[in-house]
């Protein structure tokens, strides 16, 4: 039987488990200038098969470009999970819990915008994944 932190022995078929990803931090990089990714009409960001959950605190970076209108580079926001592929951002945990998103009014410039989550005193829950994000 495999022990926590060790790969199962080849050929062993009972009591196996998958080793979880080390996601003490996670960075999602996206094109902030793409209307296919950032919807100003719906205040959403497409993050295909993302790992985010509602209420997680993330730090937004414009990646050296121009920030998405409504967001500020280097500022912390809170995730509102819409579905497996779509999120919104809120200014506080209570706004995230009540699904009150930030009004995104314009696209940014640049393809290296990021949302970075760190598991700390605020972020204490996460989505279990393996193999770099498989749920």
């Amino acid at each position: 039987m495999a022990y926590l932190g060790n790969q199962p022995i080849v050929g062993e078929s009972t009591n196996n488990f998958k080793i979880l990803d080390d996601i003490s931090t996670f960075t999602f990089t996206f094109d902030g200038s793409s209307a296919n990714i950032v919807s100003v009409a719906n205040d959403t960001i497409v993050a295909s098969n993302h790992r985010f959950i509602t209420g997680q605190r993330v730090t937004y970076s414009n990646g050296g470009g121009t920030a998405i209108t409504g967001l500020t580079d280097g500022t912390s926001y809170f995730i509102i999970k819409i579905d497996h592929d779509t999120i919104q951002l809120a200014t506080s945990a209570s706004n995230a819990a009540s699904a009150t998103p930030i009004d995104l009014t314009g696209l940014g410039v640049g393809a290296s915008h990021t949302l970075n989550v760190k598991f700390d005193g605020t972020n204490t829950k996460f989505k279990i994944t393996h193999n770099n994000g498989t749920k």
Side-chain angles (χ1 to χ4, degrees), residues 5-124:
N6 297 323
Q7 291 284 355
I9 298 168
V10 174
E12 186 175 86
S13 61
T14 60
N15 300 319
N16 284 342
F17 58 90
K18 296 200 181 290
I19 295 178
L20 300 180
D21 292 334
D22 174 11
I23 53 174
S24 58
T25 72
F26 171 68
T27 301
F28 167 64
T29 303
F30 63 100
D31 184 349
S33 64
S34 172
N36 293 325
I37 303 294
V38 179
S39 171
V40 295
N42 299 315
D43 302 321
T44 58
I45 298 172
V46 173
S48 296
N49 201 24
H50 65 78
R51 300 179 184 187
F52 299 117
I53 60 175
T54 295
Q56 274 183 322
R57 182 175 62 184
V58 296
T59 302
Y60 168 73
S61 170
N62 63 20
T66 302
I68 297 166
T69 308
L71 303 179
T72 303
D73 184 54
T75 301
S76 291
Y77 298 103
F78 294 82
I79 295 290
I80 301 170
K81 177 184 174 183
I82 303 301
D83 58 35
H84 279 333
D85 298 318
T86 314
I87 60 170
Q88 293 178 315
L89 297 174
T91 56
S92 67
S94 60
N95 282 350
S98 65
T100 305
I102 294 170
D103 184 19
L104 304 179
T105 57
L107 298 175
V109 174
S112 297
H113 294 242
T114 62
L115 293 174
N116 182 269
V117 61
K118 291 184 179 180
F119 297 99
D120 52 22
T122 300
N123 291 323
T124 58

